[in-house]
Amino acid sequence: MNLSRINSRFFSRASLLFPALLLGLWGCVIFRLKTSGLLAELQSPTYHPFSIGTAAACLVLALCYPLVSDIKRQSGRSRWPRLILAILLLASPVIIFATLPQDSPTTGFLARRYSSTSSNMNIYQLLGIDQKDLLQDLQFRKQHAANGQSLELDMLELNFIANNSGLRKLYDQTPVNLSGQWLADANGNTQSFRLVQMIMFCCAADAKVLGVRVDGQPPGGQNGAWIDVFAVLRFNSSGTPYLILQQSKPQDDAPPPDLPLPQR
């Protein structure tokens, strides 16, 4: 048996094995992102079914690929560079995923894209939110809340309140509950921290990060950890909101809450 025939046979088997393994790895990585909760940090829940469907399709293709591929046409030494290049391109996302740090991979992203909830970001039209309905809802909730009752808010609602003078006056000194990821204070202040939420239309590539300063002892844990905060909402002279912490609770045993997104 000459070397050319050995090379051709080995290539034929490799051309069946490697694509099947890579398709299987892709499917497993997507499922791992979902089960670990990382998919919720990187993609809108609206698109999760498409990602899970893609993962399932990859696993099915991994099983079926050796059955549908034509071995007789997979021969020739000149095809090796193309096979190796295709393997490297397909494997690169899997390699990147395997080398992610143990803590939240989005922590640096959150810090780089951080914007105060007082920023006029004009994101409501992009998300398909009717601003008149949101205004009426926030007014109704505050006006019908019992004296001293804390109100559930998210960062998108806080952003809307901060950019409406009437709502700022209505909500000033209101006890509120918010959930989000905590980041250390940008100036290194140990008596305050930032509470943030990443708001996505599709995925992290188009995400906007809204956050608010919280005055109080930072919770234990690491940057990017999800926490529930009970605090008093205040506004400074320029209309920028901040929170006076009353209590914080880590979400160690609970999945992150749904991001403040309309379901399309």
Side-chain angles (χ1 to χ4, degrees):
M1 184 178 294
N2 57 37
L3 292 177
S4 177
R5 181 172 296 180
I6 294 174
N7 177 72
S8 178
R9 182 172 297 179
F10 183 75
F11 178 87
S12 297
R13 294 181 178 179
S15 65
L16 292 178
L17 177 63
F18 290 151
L21 286 176
L22 286 173
L23 287 168
L25 282 173
W26 266 89
C28 291
V29 165
I30 296 174
F31 276 122
R32 174 57 180 161
L33 287 172
K34 177 61 177 177
T35 57
S36 67
L38 293 180
L39 190 63
E41 298 184 26
L42 301 172
Q43 186 184 55
S44 164
T46 305
Y47 299 92
H48 287 189
F50 298 102
S51 296
I52 300 304
T54 300
C58 285
L59 294 177
V60 171
L61 286 172
L63 294 174
C64 296
Y65 186 85
L67 301 177
V68 300
S69 181
D70 188 352
I71 297 179
K72 295 181 180 179
R73 300 184 61 183
Q74 301 296 326
S75 61
R77 185 178 301 177
S78 62
R79 294 179 179 270
W80 274 106
R82 289 162 53 183
L83 176 63
I84 294 173
L85 179 61
I87 290 172
L88 291 175
L89 289 174
L90 286 171
S92 56
V94 179
I95 296 171
I96 293 171
F97 173 78
T99 57
L100 286 175
Q102 294 300 313
D103 60 350
S104 173
T106 58
T107 299
F109 178 89
L110 294 173
R112 289 192 300 272
R113 291 208 178 182
Y114 174 86
S115 296
S116 170
T117 46
S118 61
S119 302
N120 188 1
M121 305 182 77
N122 193 28
I123 57 179
Y124 306 98
Q125 193 170 26
L126 174 65
L127 296 174
I129 296 175
D130 190 314
Q131 297 185 49
K132 291 182 179 180
D133 288 346
L134 182 57
L135 173 62
Q136 293 174 359
D137 178 61
L138 289 169
Q139 290 173 333
F140 179 87
R141 286 157 59 185
K142 174 58 178 174
Q143 292 168 353
H144 290 78
N147 187 29
Q149 177 186 354
S150 62
L151 298 178
E152 294 281 348
L153 293 177
D154 58 44
M155 291 298 173
L156 194 60
E157 293 169 334
L158 188 54
N159 173 256
F160 191 83
I161 292 170
N163 286 282
N164 184 290
S165 58
L167 288 176
R168 286 201 304 269
K169 183 177 180 180
L170 184 64
Y171 273 82
D172 191 28
Q173 300 191 51
T174 297
V176 295
N177 291 317
L178 290 98
S179 296
Q181 293 171 271
W182 80 272
L183 293 176
D185 185 85
N187 299 318
N189 187 344
T190 59
Q191 295 303 311
S192 67
F193 61 97
R194 294 171 291 174
L195 186 71
V196 304
Q197 286 181 347
M198 183 165 60
I199 299 173
M200 296 181 290
F201 175 71
C202 173
C203 57
D206 59 30
K208 297 181 183 297
V209 178
L210 289 176
V212 61
R213 189 188 87 229
V214 183
D215 291 337
Q217 186 65 38
Q222 59 187 10
N223 274 340
W226 283 89
I227 60 172
D228 294 320
V229 165
F230 169 64
V232 176
L233 176 60
R234 297 298 310 272
F235 298 88
N236 62 20
S237 57
S238 63
T240 301
Y242 64 96
L243 300 174
I244 300 176
L245 182 65
Q246 304 297 307
Q247 184 180 3
S248 64
K249 178 183 177 182
Q251 294 186 348
D252 294 336
D253 300 324
D258 289 338
L259 295 172
L261 287 170
Q263 298 299 311
R264 298 174 64 84

